[in-house]
Amino acid sequence: MADQLTIAGVSLSSRLIMGTGGAPSMQVIDEVLEASGTALCTVAMRRHDAATAGSLIDVIDKRGVRVLPNTAGCRTAAEAVRTAQLAREALETDWVKLEVVADERTLLPDPVELLDAAQLLVADGFTVLPYTNDDPVLARRLQQSGCAAVMPLGSPIGTGLGISNPHNIELIVAEAAEGGVPVILDAGIGTASDAAFAMELGCDGVLLASAVTRAQRPALMAEAMAAAVHAGRAAYLAGRIPRRRHAQASSPTEGMATF
Amino acid sequence: MADQLTIAGVSLSSRLIMGTGGAPSMQVIDEVLEASGTALCTVAMRRHDAATAGSLIDVIDKRGVRVLPNTAGCRTAAEAVRTAQLAREALETDWVKLEVVADERTLLPDPVELLDAAQLLVADGFTVLPYTNDDPVLARRLQQSGCAAVMPLGSPIGTGLGISNPHNIELIVAEAAEGGVPVILDAGIGTASDAAFAMELGCDGVLLASAVTRAQRPALMAEAMAAAVHAGRAAYLAGRIPRRRHAQASSPTEGMATF
Amino acid sequence: MADQLTIAGVSLSSRLIMGTGGAPSMQVIDEVLEASGTALCTVAMRRHDAATAGSLIDVIDKRGVRVLPNTAGCRTAAEAVRTAQLAREALETDWVKLEVVADERTLLPDPVELLDAAQLLVADGFTVLPYTNDDPVLARRLQQSGCAAVMPLGSPIGTGLGISNPHNIELIVAEAAEGGVPVILDAGIGTASDAAFAMELGCDGVLLASAVTRAQRPALMAEAMAAAVHAGRAAYLAGRIPRRRHAQASSPTEGMATF
Amino acid sequence: MADQLTIAGVSLSSRLIMGTGGAPSMQVIDEVLEASGTALCTVAMRRHDAATAGSLIDVIDKRGVRVLPNTAGCRTAAEAVRTAQLAREALETDWVKLEVVADERTLLPDPVELLDAAQLLVADGFTVLPYTNDDPVLARRLQQSGCAAVMPLGSPIGTGLGISNPHNIELIVAEAAEGGVPVILDAGIGTASDAAFAMELGCDGVLLASAVTRAQRPALMAEAMAAAVHAGRAAYLAGRIPRRRHAQASSPTEGMATF
Amino acid sequence: MRIELNGAPTELADDTTLVGLIEDRLGGTRGAAVVVDGSVVPRSAWPQFRVADGQRVELITAVQGG
Amino acid sequence: MRIELNGAPTELADDTTLVGLIEDRLGGTRGAAVVVDGSVVPRSAWPQFRVADGQRVELITAVQGG
Amino acid sequence: MRIELNGAPTELADDTTLVGLIEDRLGGTRGAAVVVDGSVVPRSAWPQFRVADGQRVELITAVQGG
Amino acid sequence: MRIELNGAPTELADDTTLVGLIEDRLGGTRGAAVVVDGSVVPRSAWPQFRVADGQRVELITAVQGG
C-alpha cells in the first residue's frame, strides 16, 4: 500500500510521528526511533545542561529522522514565537510543533494565545503544526491562518485516555480534508487500538510520546504503534462494514444436510 | 517478536483466524487468505451444489492454510455432533468450530445445547473450539469440559459492533489463562481497532469473517486485520501506560530559555 | 402518570425494587424503604443470630412493603429449591428472587443450574423472579419456563458499573414484551443515571441494593433512585428525540434584527 | 432536600432551565413550562411577525417564570452585544444567554468572538451566561471575565448525543467551584439519563430545549427532565458507591441453612 | 408618512410615537424593542420619540428560542 | 433434652414444640422457618411438632439481603 | 437404479460405489462426506460401499462459512 | 572576562566568539542556539560575534520533548 503522509509538500515514509519525551535513556530513544519506523520526531528547546549524557540530535540524525522542534512550556504567543525562532537557528528548520498551554495541570492549549502565535509564525515564514484541543472551530481558525497541519488532542497529554470525543475529530477531519490540510492526532494515545482508531476516523497521522517512551517495553510498544497506524490507515481505506443492530450469518442458511 | 498461538499442541504462524463466509468469489477468498497471512480458516458443511464455481478446499489447500470446519446452522447438540462427524470424514480433521445457535435473528449461542454438544464431541475425540457468548461462567464450563479453546463473541455475528463488554472478556481471559486454554475473540469485529483491542484485553487470537469479506476492499482489510492483531498483541506484551486523570508533561518543565 | 408495574397479576405502586443488603442498621433500612417509595423489597434466609438487633421483617411490615425472599448464596438448583421452600414457610409468600451463582468472585449466575431451578420452582407453584446474566437466549429460556419476570444484570453485583451491554438488554426487553413478561434490571446500578438509563431501554423496573445502602447518604440516594426510575420511565413513554450527527438550531434562523 | 441554584445572587426554585425553541405551539410551551417546574426560560429576539399566534412573553409571565433572552444567530461579538442591548430594553432584564456561533452546521461557539463579547457585555453591566464548548480553558477565561455562570455543551445543539466528554465537564466543574461560579450543562441532552448524568458530574443545572420540545410527548418529557435533574443532583450529594472491578455480595455469605 | 418597518415600506400617521407604533402593532410594549436607523431606542424614550418620515424602524419581540 | 440448634449443642426442656422453640427464640413466628434433621417442617405442623432428643434443628429467619 | 441425491430423484448406474459417485460429481474426494439413509459413511468404507436402489444419499462438501 | 551563561556567572577568555563558546561547550554547533542579552543571534553571525564582558548568554540545545 503506497500511501504517504505529506506535510507542506514534504512526503514522509511513516504516518507515525514520535515524540522523544519521557524516554529513560538515549539508548531507548534510539531503539524506539528504529522500531517505530518514524520519519519525523519532536524535540524541545532547553538550556544546555552539561550533565546530560549523549546528544539527542546525534541519535536522531544517525537514524535519518527529520526533527520537529516544539514550543513546549510556552504560555504566551510571545514566548512561543521566540522559542520557535531559537529552534530555527538551532536545527536549521522552519518546521515547528506549536504548543501554547494554559496551565501545568491540564496542559490544554490556550485557544487565544495559540491562534495569535500561529498567525505570527506563519507570517514569519514558519511551517506551523499546532497542537490544539478538539474544538472544530479552533481547528478551522488555525487552518485558515495558514497552518501546515492541525494536531488535535485525543485527550490531555500523557493521560493515555485515548480519543475522548471521536465526533469532534471526525468534524475536524472533514473540514481539513476540504482545505487539503493533514490532521495529526496528537496527545492522549494510550495503546495501539487508540492509534488505529485515530486513523480509522480519517486522521492522516498520529503523534505520540509517553505511550511508547513510558511503556514497560518501549521498543516493543513502538513496533505496536507502527503496526496500529498502518492497520488503522488500511482499514480506513478498505471501507469497514456498517454497524448493524441485528446479526447477519456468515455461513449459508441453505443446504444443511438432512439425516 | 517470536510469539505463537498454540491450540491443542499445534502452533500456528498467525493469531488471526479467517472465516471464509461472505466473500463474493473464490478469487477474493484467495486474496484474503494471502493478505491476512492466516494459518487457519473456517468452512461450513453443506450439500454439494453443482452450480458453485471452483473448489473452496482447493483454494485453501493451495495456500497451505489449515482448515477448521464449523457447525454453523445447527440448533441442537445432536445436529452439531452429526455435522462435526461429517466434517471429520470430509476434511480428515478432528478440529471443529462448534456453533449451536438459538435463533436466526441474534445467532447467539444456546448455552445449554452448546455445553451438551461440547461434552459429546470431546468424548468422541474432537478438538473442540466453541463459539460462545461472553458469559464467563459458560466459558469456564466449556473449558472444564475439555474444549481446546474458548471463543467468546465481542458482539453478535456480522454486526461489526466490536467488543460490547470488555469486562467480561477480561474475566474470561483471566480464567482461561489459569487453565492454559487459549481465548479467541470470535464474532463482532468491525474494523482494525476492534481486533487490536481484543488482543490488548489478552485474547490469544481473533476470528473474523464479515469484517474482511464484506469490506469494500477485502484484501486491504485483511492486511489491516493482520497488522491490527500484531499491533494489539505487541501492545499487550509491551505493557501500556496507566490511564491518568491528569496530564503529564512529555517535555522538561525546567531549563526554559530566559529572554 | 398512572402507569404501574404488574408482576404475576400483582400491581406495585413503584417500579423500584429495593434490596435490603448492605445497610449499616435497621434504622437506615427503614429510612431507605420510606425514601425509595418502594413496594417490594428483598430479604435473604439465614440461621437465626441472637446477636442481630431488631427484626428486619417487622421494619418491612410496618412500612407495608411486600417482601421478596431470595436464594442468595445457593450454588445449585437443589440448594435454591430448598431455600425457596424455607422462605415460603417463613414469609408465607410463593414469590422468590431466584439466585444461583457460579462463584463468589463474580457472583454471576450459573446458566444451567439457574434454568433447572427455575423449572423446578415453577412446577412447585412458585412465582419465580430469576436473577440472570444479560444473555438474551437464557432470558428467553427462563421466560419460556414460566418465570413471572426476567431480571438481567447490568453488570456484576455490587460493582456499580452500570449497564455494560445495553444492546443485550434491548434484545431481552423486546422479547419479553412479546411474552408479556416484565424485565427488571437487577445488579450493577451505581448511580441515578444508570437507573434512568435502564428504564429508557424499556425495562419495567429496577432492583438495586448496594447503590443505595452503601452510598454515603443512603436515604438521599434512595430518593435519587426513586426520581431516576420515574424519570427514565417517563422519558421512555415520552419518546426521546433521535440522535443526530449534525446540529439543529433551537432558535429561528430568520428575522434577525438589522442595524 | 432544600438545595437551590443561585445565579448572580438570584435563587431559582429549579435547576432545570428550559429553552422555548422547537415547540409546535404556545399551548405546548405552556404545558412544558408547567410540567418542567422551571424558574427560568430562554427566548430569542426577532423581528415582530404579525403572523405569529399568541404572545410568548405573556405565556411565560403568566407562569411566573423568569425570562433569559439569548443572542442566538449572532456570529460576531458586535452582533451579540447589540442583540443583548435590544433584549435588555425589550425584557427589562440585564441577564443574557450569550451565544456566538461559528457556523450553522455545527452551531459550535466561536471561542475568540465569544470571549470578546463576554468581556464587552460584563463591562456594560450585563449578567452574562455564556454558551461555550467543553474546553476547560475557555470556560476558565469566561469565568475570569466576570461571567455569572459557564454553560458548556454536552454535545452540539439539537443532536441529543448527550455528554460526549465527561472528563472535560468534570474539569470545568472543579475550576468553577473554586471560583464560586455555577456550571449549567447546555446543549446536547437527548433524554432523562443524560440530564441526571450531567448533575452527577457536579453541574449546578441543566439547560435544554429540543430534548423536550421535540419529544413525541413534550409535557411528559418535561416531567421526566425535572425528575432526572432532581435525581442527578440528589445522587451527587448522596455520594455514589465506587466502581469496583469485582463483585461484592449484598447478602450475607455466612449462616446458610444446612440440610 | 412613509417609513420602512422591519424591511417593508409602511404608511404611518404623522406624529406617531414609538410607544404608539408598538402598542398599535403588539397591543402592548412588554417584550418589545425598537431600533431606529440602526440605533436601539431606550424604552424610557419611547413616549416622546416621534417617528420621522423615511426612517428605518426595526420592531423586535421575544420569540421561541433555545 | 439435648439437641443441635443451628449447629450448636443446646439444652431444651422436654415436650418443647417447634412453635414454643421459635417463640422463645424470636418472640414470634413471623419470618421464621425450621428444618429438622434435613427436612423443612411446614408452618402448619409447628404447634403439634415436639422436638426430640438429639435432633438437628435449623432455625432460619429473614435477614438483610440483595 | 434410482436414488435420492441431496433431496432430488437421481438415476444411477448399477454397482456405483460411493467413491465413484463422489468422484463423478466432485472430480475428487477431498472435502467430501456422505450420509446414506441417515448415517455418515466413513471415508474408509467408500470404495467398497455400493449404493442401492432407493437409497437416500446426501453428498456434503466444504463451503464458505464463518 | 566574566559573563552570565545560562544564569550562572562564568569566566571566559577575551575575544571568545559565539562559535568558539558553543564548540567548547557542545563539541559542535548542530542543535544549538544562542540568546545574547535577550536577542537570538542568527547562526550566520556566530563566527564574527565576540562575547563582551558582562553579557547575558543563553546557550540552548535540543532535548527530549513531546
Side-chain angles (χ1 to χ4, degrees), chain C residues 111-145:
Chain C
V112 177
E113 296 293 325
L114 177 64
L115 198 53
D116 288 353
Q119 287 159 348
L120 292 167
L121 288 170
V122 167
D124 191 9
F126 282 90
T127 295
V128 182
L129 291 74
Y131 160 66
T132 180
N133 59 31
D134 63 7
D135 173 16
V137 177
L138 183 56
R140 176 190 307 154
R141 289 282 198 116
L142 290 163
Q143 188 178 333
Q144 291 167 342
S145 304

mmCIF file of all heavy atoms in Angstrom, chain C residues 111-145:
data_model
loop_
_atom_site.group_PDB
_atom_site.id
_atom_site.type_symbol
_atom_site.label_atom_id
_atom_site.label_comp_id
_atom_site.label_asym_id
_atom_site.label_seq_id
_atom_site.Cartn_x
_atom_site.Cartn_y
_atom_site.Cartn_z
ATOM 1 N N PRO C 111 -25.792 -20.556 34.349
ATOM 2 C CA PRO C 111 -26.966 -20.683 33.467
ATOM 3 C C PRO C 111 -27.671 -22.024 33.560
ATOM 4 O O PRO C 111 -28.906 -22.086 33.571
ATOM 5 C CB PRO C 111 -26.390 -20.444 32.067
ATOM 6 C CG PRO C 111 -24.913 -20.468 32.179
ATOM 7 C CD PRO C 111 -24.555 -20.230 33.603
ATOM 8 N N VAL C 112 -26.897 -23.096 33.684
ATOM 9 C CA VAL C 112 -27.501 -24.431 33.695
ATOM 10 C C VAL C 112 -28.291 -24.669 34.979
ATOM 11 O O VAL C 112 -29.468 -25.039 34.958
ATOM 12 C CB VAL C 112 -26.413 -25.521 33.509
ATOM 13 C CG1 VAL C 112 -27.018 -26.905 33.599
ATOM 14 C CG2 VAL C 112 -25.689 -25.320 32.178
ATOM 15 N N GLU C 113 -27.651 -24.397 36.108
ATOM 16 C CA GLU C 113 -28.333 -24.608 37.399
ATOM 17 C C GLU C 113 -29.526 -23.656 37.554
ATOM 18 O O GLU C 113 -30.572 -24.029 38.100
ATOM 19 C CB GLU C 113 -27.352 -24.401 38.562
ATOM 20 C CG GLU C 113 -26.204 -25.413 38.613
ATOM 21 C CD GLU C 113 -26.686 -26.824 38.919
ATOM 22 O OE1 GLU C 113 -27.652 -26.989 39.689
ATOM 23 O OE2 GLU C 113 -26.094 -27.776 38.361
ATOM 24 N N LEU C 114 -29.361 -22.451 37.052
ATOM 25 C CA LEU C 114 -30.432 -21.459 37.161
ATOM 26 C C LEU C 114 -31.686 -21.926 36.429
ATOM 27 O O LEU C 114 -32.800 -21.888 36.965
ATOM 28 C CB LEU C 114 -29.963 -20.120 36.587
ATOM 29 C CG LEU C 114 -31.000 -18.991 36.576
ATOM 30 C CD1 LEU C 114 -31.399 -18.598 38.001
ATOM 31 C CD2 LEU C 114 -30.461 -17.782 35.816
ATOM 32 N N LEU C 115 -31.472 -22.426 35.227
ATOM 33 C CA LEU C 115 -32.605 -22.871 34.417
ATOM 34 C C LEU C 115 -33.275 -24.088 35.061
ATOM 35 O O LEU C 115 -34.506 -24.159 35.158
ATOM 36 C CB LEU C 115 -32.101 -23.198 33.010
ATOM 37 C CG LEU C 115 -33.105 -23.276 31.880
ATOM 38 C CD1 LEU C 115 -33.961 -22.022 31.791
ATOM 39 C CD2 LEU C 115 -32.355 -23.481 30.558
ATOM 40 N N ASP C 116 -32.466 -25.016 35.560
ATOM 41 C CA ASP C 116 -33.036 -26.175 36.257
ATOM 42 C C ASP C 116 -33.887 -25.719 37.443
ATOM 43 O O ASP C 116 -35.034 -26.144 37.609
ATOM 44 C CB ASP C 116 -31.917 -27.085 36.792
ATOM 45 C CG ASP C 116 -31.214 -27.843 35.686
ATOM 46 O OD1 ASP C 116 -31.677 -27.778 34.525
ATOM 47 O OD2 ASP C 116 -30.179 -28.470 35.976
ATOM 48 N N ALA C 117 -33.332 -24.832 38.241
ATOM 49 C CA ALA C 117 -34.038 -24.371 39.444
ATOM 50 C C ALA C 117 -35.334 -23.668 39.068
ATOM 51 O O ALA C 117 -36.378 -23.891 39.699
ATOM 52 C CB ALA C 117 -33.139 -23.431 40.240
ATOM 53 N N ALA C 118 -35.293 -22.856 38.033
ATOM 54 C CA ALA C 118 -36.495 -22.130 37.616
ATOM 55 C C ALA C 118 -37.599 -23.119 37.258
ATOM 56 O O ALA C 118 -38.750 -22.978 37.676
ATOM 57 C CB ALA C 118 -36.173 -21.224 36.441
ATOM 58 N N GLN C 119 -37.236 -24.149 36.499
ATOM 59 C CA GLN C 119 -38.239 -25.126 36.073
ATOM 60 C C GLN C 119 -38.817 -25.854 37.283
ATOM 61 O O GLN C 119 -40.040 -26.027 37.407
ATOM 62 C CB GLN C 119 -37.630 -26.095 35.062
ATOM 63 C CG GLN C 119 -37.414 -25.425 33.703
ATOM 64 C CD GLN C 119 -36.391 -26.114 32.818
ATOM 65 O OE1 GLN C 119 -35.649 -26.987 33.271
ATOM 66 N NE2 GLN C 119 -36.330 -25.715 31.554
ATOM 67 N N LEU C 120 -37.960 -26.251 38.225
ATOM 68 C CA LEU C 120 -38.430 -26.973 39.413
ATOM 69 C C LEU C 120 -39.347 -26.096 40.266
ATOM 70 O O LEU C 120 -40.401 -26.539 40.731
ATOM 71 C CB LEU C 120 -37.234 -27.436 40.249
ATOM 72 C CG LEU C 120 -36.368 -28.524 39.608
ATOM 73 C CD1 LEU C 120 -35.045 -28.674 40.349
ATOM 74 C CD2 LEU C 120 -37.121 -29.858 39.595
ATOM 75 N N LEU C 121 -38.988 -24.833 40.436
ATOM 76 C CA LEU C 121 -39.778 -23.949 41.298
ATOM 77 C C LEU C 121 -41.111 -23.586 40.664
ATOM 78 O O LEU C 121 -42.144 -23.536 41.339
ATOM 79 C CB LEU C 121 -38.977 -22.687 41.631
ATOM 80 C CG LEU C 121 -37.811 -22.925 42.608
ATOM 81 C CD1 LEU C 121 -36.924 -21.687 42.704
ATOM 82 C CD2 LEU C 121 -38.349 -23.313 43.994
ATOM 83 N N VAL C 122 -41.098 -23.370 39.348
ATOM 84 C CA VAL C 122 -42.371 -23.092 38.661
ATOM 85 C C VAL C 122 -43.300 -24.291 38.839
ATOM 86 O O VAL C 122 -44.475 -24.147 39.183
ATOM 87 C CB VAL C 122 -42.134 -22.787 37.162
ATOM 88 C CG1 VAL C 122 -43.459 -22.812 36.402
ATOM 89 C CG2 VAL C 122 -41.442 -21.437 37.002
ATOM 90 N N ALA C 123 -42.728 -25.493 38.676
ATOM 91 C CA ALA C 123 -43.526 -26.715 38.827
ATOM 92 C C ALA C 123 -44.085 -26.836 40.243
ATOM 93 O O ALA C 123 -45.169 -27.379 40.468
ATOM 94 C CB ALA C 123 -42.673 -27.936 38.493
ATOM 95 N N ASP C 124 -43.361 -26.300 41.227
ATOM 96 C CA ASP C 124 -43.773 -26.389 42.629
ATOM 97 C C ASP C 124 -44.688 -25.218 43.013
ATOM 98 O O ASP C 124 -44.976 -24.996 44.200
ATOM 99 C CB ASP C 124 -42.523 -26.416 43.515
ATOM 100 C CG ASP C 124 -42.828 -26.785 44.967
ATOM 101 O OD1 ASP C 124 -43.983 -27.185 45.253
ATOM 102 O OD2 ASP C 124 -41.935 -26.637 45.817
ATOM 103 N N GLY C 125 -45.114 -24.423 42.012
ATOM 104 C CA GLY C 125 -46.095 -23.385 42.291
ATOM 105 C C GLY C 125 -45.523 -22.040 42.720
ATOM 106 O O GLY C 125 -46.268 -21.155 43.145
ATOM 107 N N PHE C 126 -44.229 -21.875 42.613
ATOM 108 C CA PHE C 126 -43.632 -20.590 42.986
ATOM 109 C C PHE C 126 -43.827 -19.548 41.883
ATOM 110 O O PHE C 126 -43.964 -19.880 40.702
ATOM 111 C CB PHE C 126 -42.129 -20.752 43.258
ATOM 112 C CG PHE C 126 -41.823 -21.346 44.596
ATOM 113 C CD1 PHE C 126 -41.705 -22.727 44.752
ATOM 114 C CD2 PHE C 126 -41.652 -20.526 45.710
ATOM 115 C CE1 PHE C 126 -41.421 -23.282 45.990
ATOM 116 C CE2 PHE C 126 -41.361 -21.083 46.949
ATOM 117 C CZ PHE C 126 -41.245 -22.459 47.094
ATOM 118 N N THR C 127 -43.848 -18.290 42.299
ATOM 119 C CA THR C 127 -43.769 -17.152 41.379
ATOM 120 C C THR C 127 -42.300 -16.779 41.319
ATOM 121 O O THR C 127 -41.751 -16.232 42.277
ATOM 122 C CB THR C 127 -44.620 -15.972 41.894
ATOM 123 O OG1 THR C 127 -45.992 -16.386 41.875
ATOM 124 C CG2 THR C 127 -44.430 -14.736 41.034
ATOM 125 N N VAL C 128 -41.652 -17.116 40.202
ATOM 126 C CA VAL C 128 -40.189 -17.083 40.126
ATOM 127 C C VAL C 128 -39.704 -15.830 39.407
ATOM 128 O O VAL C 128 -40.084 -15.561 38.269
ATOM 129 C CB VAL C 128 -39.661 -18.344 39.427
ATOM 130 C CG1 VAL C 128 -38.136 -18.334 39.384
ATOM 131 C CG2 VAL C 128 -40.179 -19.598 40.131
ATOM 132 N N LEU C 129 -38.863 -15.053 40.089
ATOM 133 C CA LEU C 129 -38.203 -13.875 39.517
ATOM 134 C C LEU C 129 -36.704 -14.164 39.477
ATOM 135 O O LEU C 129 -36.012 -13.959 40.469
ATOM 136 C CB LEU C 129 -38.481 -12.632 40.356
ATOM 137 C CG LEU C 129 -39.915 -12.072 40.347
ATOM 138 C CD1 LEU C 129 -40.873 -12.934 41.149
ATOM 139 C CD2 LEU C 129 -39.919 -10.638 40.856
ATOM 140 N N PRO C 130 -36.190 -14.675 38.354
ATOM 141 C CA PRO C 130 -34.788 -15.106 38.316
ATOM 142 C C PRO C 130 -33.813 -13.965 38.034
ATOM 143 O O PRO C 130 -34.025 -13.156 37.133
ATOM 144 C CB PRO C 130 -34.775 -16.110 37.162
ATOM 145 C CG PRO C 130 -35.856 -15.631 36.253
ATOM 146 C CD PRO C 130 -36.911 -15.006 37.124
ATOM 147 N N TYR C 131 -32.760 -13.915 38.833
ATOM 148 C CA TYR C 131 -31.618 -13.045 38.566
ATOM 149 C C TYR C 131 -30.775 -13.762 37.525
ATOM 150 O O TYR C 131 -30.306 -14.885 37.749
ATOM 151 C CB TYR C 131 -30.810 -12.841 39.855
ATOM 152 C CG TYR C 131 -29.396 -12.369 39.638
ATOM 153 C CD1 TYR C 131 -29.134 -11.112 39.099
ATOM 154 C CD2 TYR C 131 -28.311 -13.185 39.954
ATOM 155 C CE1 TYR C 131 -27.833 -10.685 38.887
ATOM 156 C CE2 TYR C 131 -27.002 -12.760 39.753
ATOM 157 C CZ TYR C 131 -26.776 -11.503 39.215
ATOM 158 O OH TYR C 131 -25.484 -11.089 39.004
ATOM 159 N N THR C 132 -30.608 -13.138 36.343
ATOM 160 C CA THR C 132 -29.893 -13.809 35.265
ATOM 161 C C THR C 132 -28.805 -12.899 34.703
ATOM 162 O O THR C 132 -28.692 -11.731 35.094
ATOM 163 C CB THR C 132 -30.884 -14.247 34.151
ATOM 164 O OG1 THR C 132 -30.165 -14.891 33.112
ATOM 165 C CG2 THR C 132 -31.661 -13.054 33.604
ATOM 166 N N ASN C 133 -27.982 -13.447 33.825
ATOM 167 C CA ASN C 133 -26.979 -12.592 33.169
ATOM 168 C C ASN C 133 -27.679 -11.849 32.020
ATOM 169 O O ASN C 133 -28.900 -11.878 31.929
ATOM 170 C CB ASN C 133 -25.791 -13.442 32.685
ATOM 171 C CG ASN C 133 -26.214 -14.524 31.709
ATOM 172 O OD1 ASN C 133 -27.166 -14.360 30.954
ATOM 173 N ND2 ASN C 133 -25.522 -15.647 31.736
ATOM 174 N N ASP C 134 -26.934 -11.196 31.153
ATOM 175 C CA ASP C 134 -27.613 -10.407 30.110
ATOM 176 C C ASP C 134 -27.678 -11.153 28.774
ATOM 177 O O ASP C 134 -27.791 -10.526 27.717
ATOM 178 C CB ASP C 134 -26.965 -9.020 29.953
ATOM 179 C CG ASP C 134 -25.515 -9.101 29.481
ATOM 180 O OD1 ASP C 134 -25.044 -10.215 29.145
ATOM 181 O OD2 ASP C 134 -24.849 -8.043 29.441
ATOM 182 N N ASP C 135 -27.641 -12.485 28.835
ATOM 183 C CA ASP C 135 -27.757 -13.298 27.614
ATOM 184 C C ASP C 135 -29.232 -13.388 27.199
ATOM 185 O O ASP C 135 -30.049 -13.962 27.915
ATOM 186 C CB ASP C 135 -27.196 -14.699 27.897
ATOM 187 C CG ASP C 135 -27.427 -15.662 26.733
ATOM 188 O OD1 ASP C 135 -27.735 -15.210 25.605
ATOM 189 O OD2 ASP C 135 -27.294 -16.889 26.959
ATOM 190 N N PRO C 136 -29.569 -12.835 26.043
ATOM 191 C CA PRO C 136 -30.972 -12.869 25.605
ATOM 192 C C PRO C 136 -31.521 -14.287 25.448
ATOM 193 O O PRO C 136 -32.723 -14.506 25.637
ATOM 194 C CB PRO C 136 -30.934 -12.150 24.249
ATOM 195 C CG PRO C 136 -29.734 -11.260 24.324
ATOM 196 C CD PRO C 136 -28.732 -12.045 25.120
ATOM 197 N N VAL C 137 -30.649 -15.241 25.156
ATOM 198 C CA VAL C 137 -31.124 -16.611 24.968
ATOM 199 C C VAL C 137 -31.515 -17.231 26.301
ATOM 200 O O VAL C 137 -32.578 -17.850 26.430
ATOM 201 C CB VAL C 137 -30.063 -17.475 24.258
ATOM 202 C CG1 VAL C 137 -30.536 -18.917 24.143
ATOM 203 C CG2 VAL C 137 -29.736 -16.882 22.889
ATOM 204 N N LEU C 138 -30.701 -17.028 27.311
ATOM 205 C CA LEU C 138 -31.042 -17.558 28.630
ATOM 206 C C LEU C 138 -32.311 -16.874 29.155
ATOM 207 O O LEU C 138 -33.198 -17.533 29.714
ATOM 208 C CB LEU C 138 -29.876 -17.348 29.593
ATOM 209 C CG LEU C 138 -30.059 -17.921 31.008
ATOM 210 C CD1 LEU C 138 -30.380 -19.411 30.969
ATOM 211 C CD2 LEU C 138 -28.810 -17.671 31.854
ATOM 212 N N ALA C 139 -32.423 -15.580 28.915
ATOM 213 C CA ALA C 139 -33.632 -14.861 29.339
ATOM 214 C C ALA C 139 -34.864 -15.461 28.671
ATOM 215 O O ALA C 139 -35.901 -15.662 29.306
ATOM 216 C CB ALA C 139 -33.505 -13.379 28.993
ATOM 217 N N ARG C 140 -34.731 -15.796 27.400
ATOM 218 C CA ARG C 140 -35.861 -16.406 26.682
ATOM 219 C C ARG C 140 -36.212 -17.749 27.303
ATOM 220 O O ARG C 140 -37.379 -18.061 27.563
ATOM 221 C CB ARG C 140 -35.476 -16.598 25.221
ATOM 222 C CG ARG C 140 -36.530 -17.321 24.376
ATOM 223 C CD ARG C 140 -35.957 -17.678 23.010
ATOM 224 N NE ARG C 140 -35.390 -16.494 22.369
ATOM 225 C CZ ARG C 140 -34.415 -16.544 21.451
ATOM 226 N NH1 ARG C 140 -33.895 -17.702 21.091
ATOM 227 N NH2 ARG C 140 -33.963 -15.442 20.924
ATOM 228 N N ARG C 141 -35.179 -18.561 27.569
ATOM 229 C CA ARG C 141 -35.409 -19.880 28.169
ATOM 230 C C ARG C 141 -36.139 -19.748 29.511
ATOM 231 O O ARG C 141 -37.063 -20.507 29.811
ATOM 232 C CB ARG C 141 -34.080 -20.595 28.382
ATOM 233 C CG ARG C 141 -33.404 -21.052 27.106
ATOM 234 C CD ARG C 141 -34.057 -22.322 26.581
ATOM 235 N NE ARG C 141 -33.217 -23.037 25.636
ATOM 236 C CZ ARG C 141 -32.717 -24.268 25.843
ATOM 237 N NH1 ARG C 141 -32.954 -24.891 26.986
ATOM 238 N NH2 ARG C 141 -31.987 -24.860 24.918
ATOM 239 N N LEU C 142 -35.750 -18.763 30.302
ATOM 240 C CA LEU C 142 -36.384 -18.566 31.615
ATOM 241 C C LEU C 142 -37.835 -18.149 31.435
ATOM 242 O O LEU C 142 -38.731 -18.647 32.118
ATOM 243 C CB LEU C 142 -35.607 -17.516 32.412
ATOM 244 C CG LEU C 142 -34.226 -17.975 32.884
ATOM 245 C CD1 LEU C 142 -33.372 -16.776 33.297
ATOM 246 C CD2 LEU C 142 -34.346 -18.971 34.041
ATOM 247 N N GLN C 143 -38.041 -17.267 30.484
ATOM 248 C CA GLN C 143 -39.398 -16.794 30.164
ATOM 249 C C GLN C 143 -40.259 -17.980 29.748
ATOM 250 O O GLN C 143 -41.370 -18.177 30.235
ATOM 251 C CB GLN C 143 -39.248 -15.790 29.035
ATOM 252 C CG GLN C 143 -40.473 -15.019 28.635
ATOM 253 C CD GLN C 143 -40.129 -14.020 27.519
ATOM 254 O OE1 GLN C 143 -38.987 -13.569 27.403
ATOM 255 N NE2 GLN C 143 -41.119 -13.698 26.699
ATOM 256 N N GLN C 144 -39.695 -18.826 28.874
ATOM 257 C CA GLN C 144 -40.438 -19.990 28.386
ATOM 258 C C GLN C 144 -40.703 -21.000 29.501
ATOM 259 O O GLN C 144 -41.650 -21.784 29.427
ATOM 260 C CB GLN C 144 -39.685 -20.653 27.231
ATOM 261 C CG GLN C 144 -39.649 -19.808 25.962
ATOM 262 C CD GLN C 144 -38.645 -20.327 24.942
ATOM 263 O OE1 GLN C 144 -37.741 -21.100 25.273
ATOM 264 N NE2 GLN C 144 -38.789 -19.889 23.690
ATOM 265 N N SER C 145 -39.877 -20.947 30.538
ATOM 266 C CA SER C 145 -40.061 -21.890 31.656
ATOM 267 C C SER C 145 -41.170 -21.456 32.589
ATOM 268 O O SER C 145 -41.447 -22.142 33.574
ATOM 269 C CB SER C 145 -38.766 -22.008 32.460
ATOM 270 O OG SER C 145 -37.707 -22.385 31.620
#
